[in-house]
Amino acid sequence: MAACITCHGREGQATNSGYFPRLAGKPAGYLYEQLRSFRDGRRQQADMSHLLANLSDAYLREMAEYFAALDLPYPPPAPSDLPAAQLARGKAMVFEGDAARGIPACASCHGQALAGVQPGIPGLLGLPRLYIASQLGSWVTGDRRAPAPDCMAEVGRKLNNEDIRAVAGWLAAQPVPADAKPAAALPAGVSVACSAMGAHP
C-alpha cells in the first residue's frame, strides 16, 4: 500500500493537501469498484490509472478490504468561510433534495448519518470541499462514470454550480461522529436504481 499513502496519507487517513480523499473505513465494495473504475477507464486520473493498470480483480479486492478495515479517528473540520445562506442551501439539498427538479436528498442513499451504506455507497463526511465539488462536477460533465445503472450520473445531470458549491461546502464543514460507520442497509432502500448496491467486497 506504499504507493497509496503517498497521496492518501498513512493508513489512508488523507493528507492536508485539501484534495485527496480518505480511504480508511469506506465500504470495501465501494473502494473495490473505484479501483476497478480507474483501472478500466470509467474514472480518469493519470497516476491512479498507471498504478492500477496491470492489477487483477483479486488484488484490487485485497487493497479495498485492507483500507475498509481501518478504524481511525477523523480530525475536526476546518471552519467554513461560506455565507450562512449558502450553507443552509447545502444542508437542505443534503437532507431534502429538490423534488421539483427531481433531485433526491443525498441522505436518501448515503444514509441519514451520511456515513455510507454497505456494500458500495460511500460516506460523505470527512472529505475536503474541493474533492467533493470536483467529484460532483465530474458526474455533471460525464468525466466520472459507474456501471449501469449509474445513479450519480442521473443525479449529477440535474445539479448546477450553485448546488455543488453549497452541498460541498456544507458537507466539508461537518464533524464526523466518533462512531460513524457505514450502515448495513437503508430502511427504505435507495431512491433511484444504483449499481453501487450490487457491488460486493
Side-chain angles (χ1 to χ4, degrees), residues 163-187:
D163 296 330
I164 291 172
R165 282 193 293 268
V167 168
W170 186 84
L171 287 170
Q174 305 312 301
V176 181
D179 60 349
K181 297 283 187 302
L186 286 166

Side-chain angles (χ1 to χ4, degrees), residues 4-198:
C4 305
I5 67 174
T6 302
C7 295
H8 292 278
R10 185 165 298 282
E11 296 185 302
Q13 285 182 280
T15 66
N16 59 3
S17 72
Y19 181 78
F20 297 105
R22 174 188 171 111
L23 304 178
K26 291 281 193 299
Y30 170 76
L31 294 175
Y32 172 61
E33 289 301 331
Q34 301 320 299
L35 291 168
R36 291 207 318 159
S37 288
F38 280 118
R39 185 196 63 189
D40 300 342
R42 287 186 296 273
R43 291 187 69 176
Q44 304 295 324
Q45 206 282 337
D47 292 334
M48 288 291 294
S49 299
H50 175 72
L51 286 170
L52 301 171
N54 299 309
L55 299 184
S56 67
D57 283 358
Y59 193 76
L60 297 184
R61 187 174 285 110
E62 188 176 344
M63 292 170 68
E65 290 173 351
Y66 169 80
F67 284 111
L70 297 175
D71 185 7
L72 304 165
Y74 283 78
S80 178
D81 57 358
L82 296 181
Q86 195 168 32
L87 292 173
R89 176 177 178 166
K91 182 178 182 180
M93 292 292 291
V94 167
F95 289 110
E96 300 167 23
D98 187 334
R101 293 159 60 205
I103 301 173
C106 305
S108 68
C109 290
H110 292 268
Q112 284 299 310
L114 305 174
V117 182
Q118 298 288 1
I121 298 180
L124 299 180
L125 301 181
L127 293 166
R129 183 168 78 185
L130 176 60
Y131 177 78
I132 300 170
S134 70
Q135 297 312 300
L136 289 174
S138 292
W139 290 113
V140 172
T141 61
D143 290 335
R144 181 172 175 175
R145 305 187 308 278
D150 191 348
C151 52
M152 279 303 301
E154 180 182 333
V155 172
R157 285 191 290 267
K158 299 172 183 177
L159 299 174
N160 59 40
N161 289 340
E162 184 55 35
D163 296 330
I164 291 172
R165 282 193 293 268
V167 168
W170 186 84
L171 287 170
Q174 305 312 301
V176 181
D179 60 349
K181 297 283 187 302
L186 286 166
V190 290
S191 57
V192 292
C194 190
S195 64
M197 294 311 285

